[in-house]
């Protein structure tokens, strides 16, 4: 009985000593279980929390600087847009117009109605190049392009403005991508995601990022 009493006493003493630690670990466990499911949402929505908050803590070199309101054009190869897509395009275009002139041009996909993929790419390629001028700075959207963050998009716009570019033109290709003419003409190639995006989704993402880039440069609140 005495031995059992000693063991029980030791056990009680040990519990008293580790009780605070147990409470702390239980708190961490509870917090992790509660926060973990929300983390992807917080990560995806991080920029919405504040225009000055960044997941990477990176800042644009043009933040709060006065830069030229460089005109921007977006060329997209595709079919007729859905009403929902068009509403979002117009909404973001209206927001961007507060900072610069924005032009949205839809180029008809497969203009020759051919069943030959190569012929379709060539026709779309030719039309897209015809919509550009020698003074345009061409940014091609491509799955093999450079990955950039929002602050780098702001740098891209700022660099183009400071270099005296007449117009910044973004090109979104058709279902089979860009042809050789656009690829040769492009001054820069970027990708919006490692995922393959429908051209309508890509357009919305691009416009949203252009608008976000301007809010970063101007250090202004991002309005949804």
């Amino acid at each position: 009985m005495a031995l059992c009493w000693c063991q029980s006493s030791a056990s009680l003493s040990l519990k008293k000593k580790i009780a605070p630690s147990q409470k702390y670990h239980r708190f961490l466990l509870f917090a992790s279980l509660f926060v973990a499911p929300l983390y992807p949402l917080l990560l995806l929505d991080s920029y919405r929390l504040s225009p000055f908050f960044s997941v990477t803590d990176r800042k644009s070199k043009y933040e709060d600087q006065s830069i030229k309101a460089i005109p921007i054009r977006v060329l997209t190869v595709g079919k007729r847009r859905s009403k929902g897509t068009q509403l979002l395009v117009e909404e973001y275009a209206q927001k961007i117009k507060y900072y610069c002139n924005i032009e949205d041009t839809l180029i008809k996909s497969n203009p020759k109605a051919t069943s030959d993929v190569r012929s379709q790419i060539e026709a779309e390629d030719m039309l897209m190049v015809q919509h550009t001028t020698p003074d345009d700075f061409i940014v091609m959207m491509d799955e093999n392009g450079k990955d950039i963050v929002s602050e780098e998009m702001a740098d891209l716009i700022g660099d183009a403005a400071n270099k005296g570019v007449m117009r910044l033109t973004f090109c979104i290709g058709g279902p089979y991508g860009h042809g050789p003419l656009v690829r040769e003409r492009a001054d820069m190639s970027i990708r919006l995601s490692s995922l393959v995006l429908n051209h309508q989704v890509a357009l919305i993402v691009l416009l949203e990022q252009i608008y976000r880039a301007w809010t970063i440069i101007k250090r202004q609140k991002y309005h949804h």
Side-chain angles (χ1 to χ4, degrees):
M1 291 296 294
L3 179 60
C4 291
W5 172 253
C6 290
Q7 288 177 335
S8 299
S9 300
S11 178
L12 287 172
S13 176
L14 182 59
K15 285 181 179 180
K16 289 180 180 179
K17 290 181 180 179
I18 67 173
S21 177
Q22 286 180 331
K23 290 181 180 180
Y24 176 69
H25 287 295
R26 286 174 183 172
F27 170 76
L28 289 180
L29 177 62
F30 173 77
S32 64
L33 291 174
F34 179 75
V35 174
L38 299 177
Y39 181 73
L41 297 177
L42 292 173
L43 184 61
L44 289 173
D45 207 39
S46 58
Y47 283 109
R48 294 184 180 182
L49 299 178
S50 167
F52 311 117
F53 177 83
S54 171
V55 175
T56 59
D57 290 329
R58 187 188 185 284
K59 292 185 178 181
S60 168
K61 58 186 177 182
Y62 293 104
E63 267 190 31
D64 214 16
Q65 291 188 27
S66 178
I67 66 170
K68 174 187 173 183
I70 182 173
I72 295 176
R73 169 187 267 186
V74 179
L75 301 178
T76 310
V77 174
K79 298 178 181 179
R80 184 177 180 181
R81 297 169 186 162
S82 66
K83 292 182 179 179
T85 298
Q86 190 59 36
L87 284 173
L88 284 172
V89 168
E90 292 173 0
E91 179 182 341
Y92 280 113
Q94 191 62 36
K95 292 179 178 180
I96 295 170
K97 285 180 181 178
Y98 179 79
Y99 304 101
C100 69
N101 181 52
I102 177 76
E103 186 178 346
D104 163 41
T105 301
L106 177 62
I107 298 172
K108 185 179 180 181
S109 177
N110 196 12
K112 294 185 177 180
T114 177
S115 59
D116 182 69
V117 173
R118 179 174 295 180
S119 296
Q120 178 177 341
I121 295 173
E122 289 176 353
E124 294 170 351
D125 192 31
M126 180 67 71
L127 281 178
M128 182 163 282
V129 170
Q130 288 175 356
H131 279 82
T132 66
T133 68
D135 295 327
D136 287 353
F137 185 89
I138 307 295
V139 182
M140 179 178 69
M141 304 294 106
D142 187 72
E143 61 182 2
N144 296 315
K146 178 185 177 182
D147 284 311
I148 64 172
V149 295
S150 298
E151 291 82 2
E152 288 174 307
M153 177 66 84
D155 289 348
L156 190 162
I157 294 174
D159 286 344
N162 280 353
K163 290 177 181 178
V165 172
M166 297 301 294
R167 182 171 62 186
L168 185 58
T169 299
F170 293 89
C171 297
I172 299 176
Y176 301 108
H178 294 286
L181 297 178
V182 173
R183 293 185 179 279
E184 184 178 350
R185 175 66 182 82
D187 297 288
M188 184 177 185
S189 175
I190 65 174
R191 68 174 180 174
L192 298 171
S193 171
S194 57
L195 303 173
V196 177
L197 302 178
N198 172 280
H199 71 275
Q200 296 189 49
V201 176
L203 173 61
I204 294 171
V205 173
L206 174 60
L207 291 174
E208 190 275 340
Q209 285 299 305
I210 292 173
Y211 167 61
R212 188 184 294 277
W214 277 111
T215 63
I216 291 173
I217 292 171
K218 300 296 184 180
R219 290 182 63 85
Q220 294 178 345
K221 184 178 180 181
Y222 179 96
H223 294 286
H224 301 290

